[in-house]
Amino acid sequence: MLANPVVPARIRRVINVESGLNDGIATPFVSVALAGAATAGSVAGHGPAAAVAELALGILLGVAVGGAGGLLVNAARRRGWAAEGFSGPAVLGLAVCAYASAVALHGNGFIAAFVGGLAFGTTGGRRGEPLIPFVEETGALVSLLVWLAFGAVAVAPAVQVLNWQIVLYAVLSLTVIRMAPVAAVLAGTQLDRATITLVAWFGPRGLASVVFCLLALEELGSPTADHAAAVITITVVLSVVAHGATADPLATRYARLLARQADRPAEAEIPGIPGIPERRLIRRSARRG
């Protein structure tokens, strides 16, 4: 869906950005909830107050590392000390630095990396194109490794405890629980019903849920978190199957609907979404060495 050219670039960008923002925004709530569950269940660990302190420290370190990194990259670029394509490796290194610094100081590494990216985008100035392909290709590689580990480790134990309640929750998560809030949020926009439905359906991609599952296992341990891990695993597996099977058919139908309704190409302006220059999500140089 995110790379399908028949879907307007604006819609693909909305789905991509919304998914990325959700990961960072949901992390504080997940961390505090896990700390509260550990305290209530008498599981060894820190309480909600300590979790909030970790989040605050992660935010501070993310701002410091990402902001300072953006300023340094800009200074190096202006003085000709760094090649034009240096921004990509730099932002990846800063993300790792922010995460490692937060973990070393008992802060939240995920929040530090997320906020560090926001700070880098603010102080880094230019939104240089060399940054985008490198980060996306690196992210794609890491996500493939995560999915490989997820399939090898988590799926088989979850299937062993599968029951109808878990399946029902997975179905509701991908439909009512996910789609109703998105529809409510977008109700005041000028987006048509087909666009809202498409954005609501294709939002979750599962990678953040896998990370949160690992956090639950780390915080609560086994067997306390086993049931929650099974619920998350089945939901993610169902998401992979359902969204993967419907991506191309629904994207093609949506593009035809836009063209037929407005009598214009699918990439024409869509009310409610500002124009965004078209680009490939992963751009490869046409020049060969």
Side-chain angles (χ1 to χ4, degrees):
M1 171 59 64
L2 296 179
N4 195 328
V6 302
V7 178
R10 302 163 189 82
I11 301 302
R12 285 183 272 136
R13 194 73 55 81
V14 165
I15 296 174
N16 196 29
V17 171
E18 184 246 358
S19 177
L21 288 176
N22 280 345
D23 298 349
I25 294 173
T27 300
F29 298 98
V30 173
S31 299
V32 174
L34 288 177
T39 301
S42 299
V43 178
H46 53 266
V52 172
E54 288 185 358
L55 295 173
L57 183 57
I59 292 174
L60 292 176
L61 289 172
V63 171
V65 173
L71 294 175
L72 290 175
V73 168
N74 265 353
R77 189 185 300 153
R78 286 195 304 269
R79 290 166 174 76
W81 295 346
E84 187 64 27
F86 176 72
S87 296
V91 73
L92 179 61
L94 288 171
V96 174
C97 180
Y99 179 89
S101 300
V103 171
L105 298 176
H106 305 289
N108 190 296
F110 294 102
I111 288 296
F114 179 77
V115 174
L118 297 178
F120 180 88
T122 301
T123 61
R126 293 166 51 190
R127 306 299 192 267
E129 284 297 320
L131 171 67
I132 298 171
F134 181 88
V135 172
E136 288 181 344
E137 290 179 354
T138 304
L141 175 61
V142 174
S143 68
L144 288 177
L145 295 176
V146 172
W147 283 114
L148 176 64
F150 173 74
V153 175
V155 175
V159 172
Q160 293 177 358
V161 299
L162 183 64
N163 54 41
W164 68 268
Q165 293 98 330
I166 293 178
V167 175
L168 176 61
Y169 176 81
V171 172
L172 291 176
S173 289
L174 301 182
T175 54
V176 178
I177 298 175
R178 157 69 192 181
M179 299 180 70
V182 174
V185 169
L186 297 179
T189 66
Q190 299 179 12
L191 298 178
D192 56 66
R193 184 179 302 175
T195 301
I196 294 176
T197 302
L198 191 80
V199 173
W201 171 243
F202 284 108
R205 290 189 290 167
L207 195 58
S209 299
V210 174
V211 175
F212 294 150
C213 176
L214 296 177
L215 290 177
L217 288 173
E218 179 183 14
E219 184 73 24
L220 303 178
S222 180
T224 306
D226 286 350
H227 186 73
V231 171
I232 294 173
T233 299
I234 297 303
T235 303
V236 171
V237 170
L238 182 60
S239 172
V240 170
V241 175
H243 294 137
T246 59
D248 281 344
L250 291 184
T252 302
R253 182 175 179 180
Y254 174 73
R256 290 174 180 171
L257 179 63
L258 282 182
R260 183 169 61 252
Q261 285 181 345
D263 192 24
R264 59 190 177 187
E267 287 290 339
E269 291 294 327
I270 300 175
I273 300 181
I276 301 176
E278 170 65 41
R279 65 169 178 83
R280 292 180 56 185
L281 288 179
I282 296 179
R283 178 177 300 173
R284 300 186 183 277
S285 174
R287 291 160 49 177
R288 304 294 180 185

